[in-house]
Amino acid sequence: VLSLCNAFIGADGGALHLVAAVGLPMVALFENLEHKKRHWHPWRVPYELVAPATRDIADIPVEQVVEAWRRLAQRLPERRL
């Protein structure tokens, strides 16, 4: 089902890793943990990583996610969206 999508916005978890495996562009929401932000990245997949100032993903402002999506979308070919 995920392979039928054009892109993905979601939190760190199983679906995020499956999306990376099928090569979908993504906005990845992570808690504010330096080791995760420093070491995680999908291989050969366009992405933006978003993290809050706190360790709670729920604290990420919607505007921050929208801005990450806009940055990502600008780097993608039109047909991907």
Side-chain angles (χ1 to χ4, degrees), residues 3-79:
S3 69
L4 300 175
C5 298
N6 291 328
F8 180 83
I9 298 173
D12 180 25
L16 184 76
H17 298 283
L18 291 173
V19 164
V22 297
L24 285 179
M26 69 181 80
V27 174
L29 311 177
F30 274 81
E31 61 270 72
N32 192 6
L33 296 172
E34 283 305 314
H35 68 279
K36 281 193 170 187
K37 293 188 307 182
R38 190 173 43 248
H39 296 289
W40 180 89
H41 64 277
W43 189 59
R44 293 184 160 179
V45 176
Y47 75 97
E48 287 282 330
L49 190 146
V50 179
T54 67
R55 291 182 65 180
D56 189 352
I57 290 175
D59 292 335
I60 298 173
V62 171
E63 296 80 16
Q64 191 176 355
V65 177
V66 170
E67 281 305 311
W69 169 252
R70 286 185 180 140
R71 286 191 305 271
L72 178 64
Q74 288 177 349
R75 298 192 325 255
L76 300 175
E78 289 250 353
R79 69 186 197 300

